[in-house]
Amino acid sequence: MQNKGLIKFFAILFALVSIYQLSFTFVANNVKSEAKAFAGDNSEKELKYLDSIGKESVLNLGLTNFTYNEVKNKQINKGLDLEGGINVILQISIKDVLKGLSNNSKNPVFNKSLADATANLEGNKTYLNKFFEAFEANANGTTKLASPDIFANRSLQGEGGIDFQMTDAQAQKVIKRKVDESVESAYKVLRERIDKFGVTQPNIQKLGESGRILVELPGAKDVDRIKKLLGGKAQLEFWETYKVEEIGNFLVATNEALKKTEIKKTETKTVEKDSLNALLTDTKDSVDTKKGNNPLFDKMLSQGGGSVLGYFAPKDTAVINGYLKRPDIKILLAADQHYAKFVWSKPTTIKDEKKKDIEAVELYALKGNRDNAAAMNGGVVTDAKDTFDQLGKPAVSMQMNSQGAKIWEELTGRAYAQKSYIAIVLDNIVYSAPGVTSGPIAGGRSEITGAFDVSETKDLANVLNAGKLPASADIIQSTVVGPSLGQAAIDAGTISAVLGFLLVCLWMVFYYGKAGWYANLALLLNLLFLFGIMASFGFVLTLPGIAGIVLTLGTAVDANIIIFERAKEELREGKSLSEAVIASYGWHGAMRSIIDANVTHILTGAILFIFGTGPIKGFALTLLIGIATSLFTSIFIARIFIDKNIAGKGDLTFSTNITKNWFTNFHFDFIKIKKFTYIFSSIIVIGSLISIFFVNGLDEGVDFVGGRTFQVKFEKPVDATVVSDELSAAFGTPVEAKILGDDDQLKITTKYKIKEEGVAVDEEVNQKLYKALAKYFNNVTYEKFTNTFDGKTVGVLQSSKVGASISEDIKTNSYWAVLGAMGAIFLYLMISFRKWQYSLGAIAAVAHDVIFVLGIYSLCYKFMPFHMEMDQHFIAAILTVIGYSMNDTVIVFDRIREFIIGNRKGSFEDIVNASINTTLSRTLNTSLMMIIVLLTMFIFGGESIRGFIFAMLIGIVVGTYSSLFIATPVLVDSISSAEKSNIEEKHKQA
C-alpha cells in the first residue's frame, strides 16, 4: 500500500483530535453529575448551580483552560429522547402575515383566496404558493395582487414595495420577500424569548421556506408554561371598556331573544340582587326568570360589577360566544355600541353558592371601532419587568415611549373623568381592567396586575421585552420526553451497543482468526472517529442515532468481510499471501463491490436525511458518518495491520481451522428453482397487498394521520380496554389505549380536536386526560401528572402531537423518500453496470422486500406484543432495508460482471450460478452480522425502537433471500436470448 506513512499520520492525528473533542463531553457529564448530586431532585437548583459555575475553569489542558460554558458548547449534544425535554414545531400563520400586509383588506377575491388556500392545503405545499394559485383562479384576470385595496397600500408602497402597476408575478416576489422577513422576525422574537427562559443548550431553527420553526428545549419540564411562552403572540392592547350598567339593557334583550330560539331549558340559578338583577325584575318575564328559563343568565355563575359583565364557567364560553356573534343578537346593541367587542379574562377563582372555590372567567365589553383597533397597543412598551404590587402580589411594570406616554395620559385622564375602566388585553385575553382613581397618569409608566403567579409575570415580562410575533405561531407538532425516560433510553442503547460490539468482535475472531482481530481493532478506531466527528461538528445524538451507531458495527466489518473472502479465493488459486492481499484490495478484487455497495447505502442515507425530521435525521446522519469512517478504517487501518503481519511472520490465513472450508465447493443451482421462488414470492406479495388494501390495512401512526399520543405509567397494572372506553367517553371521540411493554404502562392515542391549533386546546386535552385517569393515581396533582421532572415514575412520561397539516407533509415526504431511494439506486446501478437489466433485477428485489415487510406489519400489528405503527421510524427502517438489500445484490452482480468479462466456461445460467455460489460466504456473513446486531437491539434496545428494529430485522432476512432468488433470476430473464448466446460464444472461444 502506497503512502502508508501518510495514512498512519492522518489516522493518529484523527484519533488525537477525536480524543480531544470527546474530552469535553466527559468533563461536561462529570460537572452535570456533580450538579445533580448537589441539587437532589430540584431542577431549578441544578440549573442555578450550573449557571453559577458557567465561567469557572473546569478543564485544564496545560496550554489553555476551558470554562464550563465552553465545555458545554463543545460536548456531544443529546437529543430529547435521551436528555428529556420539549420539542415543538411552530407554524407561523402566513395567512395572518398576508392579512397584515394587505391592511386587513376586505377585497372578496383576496379573502376567498385566503380561505381556499387554507381549505386546499396539501402535503409539501406552502400556504403562500397555494394562496397565489387560489388568487389566480379566483381573480381570473379581473383583480391584481397590486390593487390599491390589496397589496398596493400605503404600508407596502415605496422603494422595494408594491405599486399598482406591477404584474402579479412582480408582486409575488415582493410578497414572498415580505413574508420571509416576517418569519425571520418571528424567529428572532422566539430566539429572544427562549434565551431568557433559562434552559441549557436550546436549539431553534427555521425549516426551509415553510414558515415553520423548530424549537428544542433539552431539560425543560413545565409543559403548559413553555407552550404558552412559545405560542403567545404577545399582542398587548389597552382598551376602554363599557360598564355593566351601560351594556345591561343589551344583555337583557339578548336573553329575551334567546328564549325564542333556544329550546333547551337551562338550570335554575339564584341570582344576586344588584344592578343587573334590578333590570331583570323590571321585565315582563320576571316569572320566567325564577323558573330558570333564561339561556344567557342561567349560565352566569355570579353577577359582575364595574367593567365585569358577569362570571361564567370556562366550558360555557364557546356557547356564549356563539350567542353574541349571531346577527340577530348583534343588532340589539345600541347605535353607539355597534362595534362593541366581547372578550374573556384569564381564569380566576370565585365562591359558589355553597362557598366552595370554583373556576370562572369574566366577560368584558370593549369599546371597539370600525377598524377593530385598540386605543393603544403594546408597541409603545420599551421595557417590562416582573415585580410585586402594593399588596405584595406578582405584577409586571411597564415603561412606554413618549408617544405611548402621551396616549396613556389621555386614556387615563378620560377614564378618571368618566369613572370608567381600561382593560389590559394580551393575546385577546383580559388580564386586568383597573379604574383610575388619582387623575391622569403621566410619564408612561404603568403596571399590569391580575391573577398571576411569579412564573407568569416572569414570562409576561419576557415576551413583552422580546416583542410580539408578527403573526400567530401554532404548535403543529410537539414531543415531550421525561428525563427518567431519557435515561432509560440511554441505558437500553448502551447495553445494545456494547453487546452488539462484543458479538460482532467474537464472530470476526471465530470466523477469520488473526485477520478478525485486525478488523476489530479497526472497528474500535471507527467508533472513536465516529464519536469524534459528532463532537467536533456539534451533531445531536438520538436514540435512533444510537441504533445507527450499532448498525455501523455491522457495516464496519462488511468491507473487511468482502476483502477477506476475496483474499481467501486468491490464496486458493495459489497466490502468495502478499499477492492475495494486493489483489483483494485492488479495484478488480473487492474495491468495486465495496464502493458499489456503500454508494447505495449513502444514497438511501442521504434521502433519509433530506426527508426525515428530528430523531430520524439523527439516525441518517449517524449512518452516513458511520459509512465514511467504516470505509476509512476497513480499507486503510486494517490494511496497515495486515501488511505489518506480512512483513513479519506472514502467517495470515483469513480463516480458522473450523471455518477454513466453510462454503467452499458449493454448487447449488439457484436459477433452476426460480419458478418455485417466483411462485412463492408472488403468493407472499399478493397476500401482502390483499391484507394492506382490503383486509387489515396498516396501523398508521399519528405521524401519518395526525393526533396526540401519551405514554402513561400507572401505579399498578391496568386494563387497556377499560381505560380506552373511559377515555373515549371523556373525550367524546374514540381513544385508543395499548399496553406498552409492561401492564402498568399504556400508549394512549387520540385525534380529539387535532385540527384545532392553539395552546388552550393542548391544555384542554391534558386536563381531560388527567381528570379521566386521576382515579388510578394517589395524590398526583395535574402538574405532577403532566409535567416532567427528574425521578418521575408515574403519569405522562412522554407525549407527542402531530397536527393535521404537518402529518400530510410527513406522509408525502415518506412516499417521495421511498420512491426517490429506489429511483436513485436504479440510476446508479444502470450507470455502474451499464445495463438496465441489473437495475431491474435490483429494484424487483427491493420492491419485493418493501412489500413483504409492509405485509408482515399489516398481518401482525393487531396481535404482536410491541407496536408496529407506520410512522417516520418505520420509513427509516424501510429505507435502511433498501440500502442493505442492495448490499448482497451488488456483491453477486459484481461477481456476475467479473465472470462475464473473464474466461468462465459454461452457459449464461452456469455463470450466474457460479457467481452466486462463489459469493455465498460473503452474502451470508454480511447478512449474519446485521442480523446479530439487529437481534441485540431488538432484545435490549428498549420498547420505543422495537418496532423500528423489527422492520429492519425482517427486511435484512428477506433482502438476503431476494438477492439470491429474485434479483439474479430477474436479471437472467430480462437479458435477451441473443445477448446470452453472444456471451456464451465468447466464453467458448476464450
Side-chain angles (χ1 to χ4, degrees):
M1 181 174 64
Q2 296 179 348
N3 300 317
K4 189 185 301 181
L6 188 63
I7 291 170
K8 284 182 179 178
F9 171 76
F10 277 115
I12 293 170
L13 182 63
F14 200 0
L16 290 174
V17 170
S18 296
I19 293 170
Y20 167 76
Q21 291 291 345
L22 289 172
S23 66
F24 297 109
T25 301
F26 291 123
V27 172
N29 286 338
N30 286 336
V31 173
K32 285 181 184 176
S33 297
E34 291 171 5
K36 195 175 289 291
F38 170 79
D41 292 332
N42 190 326
S43 57
E44 287 189 13
K45 190 176 179 182
E46 181 183 338
L47 269 177
K48 287 179 180 178
Y49 175 85
L50 292 173
D51 286 341
S52 67
I53 64 167
K55 295 181 180 179
E56 292 183 13
S57 175
V58 294
L59 177 61
N60 187 347
L61 295 179
L63 297 175
T64 183
N65 291 330
F66 293 93
T67 65
Y68 173 68
N69 286 339
E70 291 171 331
V71 167
K72 178 181 67 176
N73 292 331
K74 291 176 179 290
Q75 69 174 333
I76 293 180
N77 297 322
K78 291 191 290 238
L80 297 187
D81 50 357
L82 299 179
E83 180 80 6
I86 297 174
N87 167 307
V88 301
I89 294 179
L90 295 156
Q91 176 71 66
I92 303 301
S93 175
I94 306 302
K95 182 178 181 180
D96 284 359
V97 174
L98 292 174
K99 281 184 175 181
L101 292 174
S102 72
N103 278 346
N104 291 309
S105 172
K106 302 295 191 295
N107 185 286
V109 173
F110 171 76
N111 284 290
K112 185 176 189 309
S113 300
L114 290 176
D116 289 349
T118 302
N120 301 323
L121 193 62
E122 301 168 351
N124 253 5
K125 287 273 190 176
T126 66
Y127 182 90
L128 188 58
N129 286 336
K130 292 301 291 184
F131 167 75
F132 288 149
E133 291 174 11
F135 188 89
E136 184 179 356
N138 292 326
N140 197 23
T142 61
T143 307
K144 295 200 309 177
L145 289 167
S147 298
D149 64 336
I150 306 180
F151 291 114
N153 53 60
R154 286 185 180 180
S155 61
L156 280 182
Q157 286 179 351
E159 187 177 352
I162 293 177
D163 62 66
F164 64 89
Q165 294 178 337
M166 279 185 172
T167 64
D168 279 357
Q170 293 171 323
Q172 284 178 11
K173 293 179 181 178
V174 178
I175 295 166
K176 186 178 183 303
R177 189 182 75 248
K178 293 292 184 182
V179 168
D180 289 343
E181 289 172 0
S182 294
V183 174
E184 180 66 26
S185 173
Y187 170 80
K188 290 177 179 177
V189 169
L190 287 168
R191 163 66 72 187
E192 195 165 343
R193 290 186 189 179
I194 291 165
D195 286 344
K196 292 180 180 180
F197 186 71
V199 294
T200 58
Q201 294 180 291
N203 174 39
I204 175 170
Q205 56 183 287
K206 291 184 292 182
L207 301 179
E209 298 180 354
S210 62
R212 291 172 181 164
I213 297 174
L214 169 69
V215 178
E216 292 182 320
L217 303 176
K221 298 174 175 64
D222 193 332
V223 179
D224 290 337
R225 180 186 172 194
I226 289 169
K227 287 185 176 181
K228 287 176 183 176
L229 177 75
L230 295 176
K233 189 176 178 182
Q235 183 171 330
L236 179 65
E237 296 171 326
F238 302 87
W239 294 78
E240 295 179 277
T241 70
Y242 289 106
K243 291 180 281 190
V244 67
E245 54 265 28
E246 294 174 322
I247 211 79
N249 288 331
F250 165 71
L251 296 178
V252 174
T254 297
N255 189 64
E256 294 302 310
L258 291 173
K259 288 181 182 180
K260 301 173 183 177
T261 59
E262 301 302 301
I263 300 173
K264 184 178 178 180
K265 303 297 182 183
T266 56
E267 183 182 352
T268 304
K269 291 188 182 293
T270 302
V271 182
E272 296 176 10
K273 293 181 179 181
D274 58 13
S275 58
L276 189 56
N277 192 41
L279 287 170
L280 285 171
T281 55
D282 287 339
T283 68
K284 297 179 180 178
D285 293 321
S286 59
V287 176
D288 290 336
T289 300
K290 295 178 181 178
K291 293 179 180 177
N293 187 23
N294 295 281
L296 178 64
F297 295 129
D298 287 343
K299 290 190 178 296
M300 197 177 286
L301 299 176
S302 177
Q303 293 294 305
S307 60
V308 179
L309 306 184
Y311 293 85
F312 295 82
K315 66 181 179 63
D316 290 331
T317 56
V319 176
I320 304 300
N321 286 340
Y323 291 160
L324 298 176
K325 288 178 181 178
R326 279 171 39 175
D328 61 318
I329 299 299
K330 290 173 72 175
I331 202 172
L332 300 175
L333 284 162
D336 61 340
Q337 299 173 350
H338 185 65
Y339 295 109
K341 179 179 180 180
F342 293 94
V343 294
W344 301 96
S345 73
K346 273 190 73 209
T348 186
T349 301
I350 65 171
K351 300 288 185 182
D352 66 4
E353 299 164 1
K354 298 179 180 179
K355 304 303 180 183
K356 290 184 178 179
D357 288 341
I358 57 171
E359 191 177 58
V361 287
E362 301 161 343
L363 179 63
Y364 291 87
L366 309 181
K367 291 184 178 181
N369 50 48
R370 184 185 299 274
D371 297 324
N372 195 32
M376 188 173 74
N377 63 52
V380 301
V381 176
T382 58
D383 184 44
K385 294 180 180 178
D386 57 299
T387 182
F388 295 90
D389 63 15
Q390 294 177 340
L391 299 176
K393 295 181 178 179
V396 176
S397 65
M398 300 179 298
Q399 178 61 53
M400 303 172 187
N401 59 24
S402 58
Q403 180 188 4
K406 182 179 178 181
I407 299 173
W408 185 240
E409 189 171 357
E410 292 174 359
L411 266 178
T412 53
R414 192 159 53 245
Y416 174 73
Q418 298 174 357
K419 300 193 182 304
S420 59
Y421 303 84
I422 299 173
I424 300 172
V425 183
L426 181 70
D427 291 341
N428 220 34
I429 295 174
V430 176
Y431 275 70
S432 63
V436 180
T437 58
S438 57
I441 301 174
R445 180 161 291 280
S446 184
E447 191 173 70
I448 303 176
T449 59
F452 294 114
D453 59 33
V454 173
S455 65
E456 286 177 316
T457 55
K458 286 183 181 294
D459 292 345
L460 181 53
N462 180 353
V463 296
L464 290 176
N465 284 323
K468 73 172 185 177
L469 292 171
S472 60
D474 294 325
I475 297 174
I476 57 173
Q477 183 175 348
S478 66
T479 303
V480 180
V481 182
S484 57
L485 199 61
Q487 187 58 49
I490 293 174
D491 295 341
T494 303
I495 291 171
S496 64
V498 171
L499 282 176
F501 176 78
L502 290 175
L503 288 173
V504 167
C505 289
L506 286 172
W507 177 259
M508 291 299 291
V509 172
F510 168 74
Y511 198 90
Y512 293 107
K514 186 179 287 187
W517 280 111
Y518 296 154
N520 291 339
L521 289 172
L523 181 59
L524 273 172
L525 274 176
N526 172 56
L527 290 176
L528 176 64
F529 293 162
L530 194 157
F531 281 111
I533 289 173
M534 293 190 72
S536 299
F537 291 96
F539 297 141
V540 177
L541 183 63
T542 63
L543 183 57
I546 291 178
I549 291 170
V550 180
L551 280 175
T552 299
L553 302 178
T555 58
V557 296
D558 179 38
N560 284 132
I561 288 172
I562 297 173
I563 292 167
F564 293 171
E565 289 298 325
R566 184 69 187 211
K568 288 199 292 187
E569 291 176 9
E570 301 294 341
L571 288 171
R572 290 190 200 107
E573 291 180 4
K575 291 182 180 178
S576 66
L577 179 59
S578 61
E579 290 172 336
V581 169
I582 291 170
S584 63
Y585 276 93
W587 179 253
H588 295 291
M591 284 305 105
R592 178 181 282 182
S593 297
I594 290 171
I595 296 302
D596 283 338
N598 280 281
V599 166
T600 58
H601 290 167
I602 291 169
L603 287 173
T604 53
I607 288 170
L608 189 57
F609 183 78
I610 292 167
F611 288 100
T613 59
I616 302 305
K617 266 193 190 297
F619 171 74
L621 184 65
T622 308
L623 209 56
L624 289 170
I625 296 171
I627 291 169
T629 55
S630 296
L631 286 174
F632 177 75
T633 54
S634 299
I635 295 172
F636 297 110
I637 302 300
R639 175 77 182 273
I640 290 173
F641 294 124
I642 290 172
D643 285 349
K644 187 176 181 181
N645 179 276
I646 293 172
K649 295 181 180 179
D651 57 351
L652 275 182
T653 58
F654 299 98
S655 62
T656 62
N657 291 330
I658 299 173
T659 62
K660 63 181 179 180
N661 292 319
W662 285 16
F663 302 110
T664 57
N665 299 317
F666 202 74
H667 302 290
F668 185 77
D669 195 340
F670 288 89
I671 304 303
K672 184 178 180 180
I673 64 168
K674 66 180 181 180
K675 289 183 180 178
F676 298 103
T677 57
Y678 279 165
I679 292 170
F680 172 74
S681 292
S682 296
I683 292 171
I684 295 295
V685 167
I686 292 170
S688 296
L689 292 174
I690 290 172
S691 178
I692 293 167
F693 292 106
F694 302 106
V695 182
N696 287 335
L698 291 162
D699 186 16
E700 291 188 300
V702 295
D703 282 356
F704 282 7
V705 295
R708 292 177 173 84
T709 62
F710 301 88
Q711 183 175 335
V712 180
K713 184 80 169 178
F714 293 82
E715 294 175 345
K716 56 185 179 181
V718 294
D719 188 322
T721 304
V722 172
V723 171
S724 177
D725 291 341
E726 290 173 347
L727 290 172
S728 297
F731 281 92
T733 186
V735 177
E736 182 181 66
K738 293 180 179 178
I739 291 174
L740 185 65
D742 300 326
D743 290 345
D744 61 351
Q745 185 167 253
L746 297 181
K747 182 178 182 181
I748 295 166
T749 306
T750 175
K751 295 178 185 175
Y752 178 75
K753 289 190 176 181
I754 196 58
K755 292 186 178 180
E756 295 184 28
E757 304 292 355
V759 176
V761 176
D762 293 343
E763 191 169 355
E764 179 191 346
V765 173
N766 288 342
Q767 289 280 5
K768 282 181 176 291
L769 183 71
Y770 170 70
K771 289 176 182 176
L773 299 180
K775 65 180 182 180
Y776 292 99
F777 300 92
N778 291 316
N779 299 321
V780 175
T781 63
Y782 168 77
E783 287 71 22
K784 287 185 177 180
F785 176 81
T786 306
N787 295 328
T788 64
F789 52 86
D790 292 330
K792 183 174 184 177
T793 56
V794 295
V796 178
L797 302 183
Q798 180 176 2
S799 66
S800 66
K801 166 193 170 184
V802 180
S805 59
I806 201 169
S807 67
E808 194 65 33
D809 288 356
I810 292 171
K811 185 182 289 188
T812 303
N813 284 344
S814 299
Y815 292 149
W816 282 114
V818 174
L819 293 175
M822 294 174 72
I825 289 172
F826 184 92
L827 289 174
Y828 174 75
L829 292 180
M830 190 165 66
I831 293 169
S832 179
F833 287 88
R834 298 177 184 174
K835 284 186 180 294
W836 61 267
Q837 289 91 341
Y838 287 95
S839 296
L840 180 64
I843 292 302
V846 165
H848 166 274
D849 299 343
V850 171
I851 294 172
F852 191 101
V853 174
L854 288 171
I856 290 290
Y857 268 61
S858 175
L859 290 166
C860 302
Y861 77 83
K862 291 184 178 179
F863 58 84
M864 277 290 192
F866 53 88
H867 292 286
M868 303 177 73
E869 290 181 346
M870 284 278 291
D871 54 15
Q872 290 187 84
H873 290 80
F874 180 81
I875 297 301
I878 289 293
L879 287 172
T880 308
V881 165
I882 290 173
Y884 286 105
S885 177
M886 287 295 94
N887 192 34
D888 294 334
T889 302
V890 165
I891 290 172
V892 175
F893 281 3
D894 269 323
R895 182 52 60 90
I896 292 173
R897 176 172 55 185
E898 179 187 337
F899 280 1
I900 288 175
I901 295 172
N903 300 321
R904 192 82 184 189
K905 301 293 183 182
S907 66
F908 184 77
E909 283 78 7
D910 291 337
I911 292 172
V912 171
N913 271 320
S915 301
I916 300 173
N917 283 300
T918 54
T919 57
L920 196 60
S921 58
R922 302 185 203 178
T923 302
L924 295 181
N925 248 330
T926 53
S927 296
L928 183 61
M929 286 295 94
M930 293 307 305
I931 290 169
I932 288 174
V933 168
L934 288 169
L935 268 175
T936 304
M937 282 192 289
F938 180 77
I939 296 169
F940 300 103
E943 187 67 36
S944 60
I945 61 169
R946 193 154 285 153
F948 165 61
I949 298 301
F950 183 73
M952 284 195 283
L953 187 58
I954 296 297
I956 296 299
V957 173
V958 177
T960 305
Y961 160 82
S962 67
S963 298
L964 301 175
F965 297 104
I966 301 296
T968 44
V970 169
L971 170 66
V972 170
D973 290 342
S974 60
I975 291 180
S976 65
S977 299
E979 189 172 353
K980 290 178 184 175
S981 299
N982 186 36
I983 292 169
E984 291 168 358
E985 190 63 33
K986 286 182 179 179
H987 280 252
K988 286 179 183 178
Q989 296 172 2

